[in-house]
Amino acid sequence: MWQILKTPVWALDALMGQKSFKHNPLIGNRWLNERGFYLKRIAWAEKMASLRHGQMVRFLTEEDKVFFHKNGYLMKENFLPADLFAQVQEEVTSREFDASEMKQGRTVTRFIGLPPSVLKELPGVRRVVQNSFLQKGMRYVASYDADPVLYLHAVLWDLAAKGKDPQTNFHIDTFHATSKSWLFLCDVEEEDGPFHYVPGSHHYTPERCAWEFEQSINAAQHSDGMHAAGSFRANEEELMKMGYGAPVAFAVPANTLVIADTHGFHRRGVATRPGVRLGLFGDLRRSPYFPWSGLDLRSLPGIKGRQSDFYAAYLNFKSKITGKTSHHRPVGQVKIDAPPRV
């Protein structure tokens, strides 16, 4: 009876873009997925993204749109004027910030929210956050004219630590258009484990659809928890069978901006030397099933620019209710490049 009563909740969850096979019995239902339920969700999401892109044709130049639709990402070297970039580097590295950290294997990712209360003290960073290309590029790639959430971001790794970083496996974040961005504040070399992306993998080839269909049948019981949660993992042999080419490694100079549609396959490279990567990180994901690109509640006055605060409050509330430690652990005031605290 309880299962029956919760079915409308699961259905609404699926409509809003839930991806988890293990947490939503409707999405993970083998009988439905054997009959194409998951593939139909993908097809509908792709159709709606195409409609939304059509409403946003002025967000990018024709050259950038052609490049993005072919490859699934945008990249701009020397993104900021040299004086502004130097100002941003100084602002970011010269003070302490309230931060949270997430540990995955030997990698710790540090997040520093950028609500208005923080940005008022960082005029250079504020100019970057408001940059027209960054904002419009993220929105176009995600196919939503919505407010992205932006953080100062550090990736720190300990070569002596045990455990595998799950982000070093090729994976998709979800099954529909979504965008992430990185403005790298220092040079990234191969030894630093750069971001990798498989060009064109934001498009569903027939071979990719067949592979995803097979995954959907048993995803709820998959041994990899992230795979079971809808962030499918694939190895390079599987990617080749899907019809994709070699991945691109973004070993790039400082002041390079990358915006990627992360329903394409991507991963974090494996670092082979001690170090830290610093950057400005952005994330934008909304429900895949609406035909309009705007009307975003999180872009309303009083909410816009404060998503990081709301998310932190939600995680804190959830942790108190469940008694479980959040995967994003508050660590207090810390410099962006300081050693990890978790």
Side-chain angles (χ1 to χ4, degrees), residues 290-303:
F290 297 141
W292 53 83
S293 61
L295 302 178
D296 176 49
L297 294 178
R298 279 174 272 185
S299 297
L300 292 174
I303 301 175

Side-chain angles (χ1 to χ4, degrees), residues 256-277:
T256 296
L257 174 70
V258 175
I259 305 175
D261 181 349
T262 52
H263 92 300
F265 282 96
H266 61 284
R267 72 178 178 102
R268 181 156 53 211
V270 178
T272 58
R273 68 181 181 189
V276 57
R277 288 211 312 272

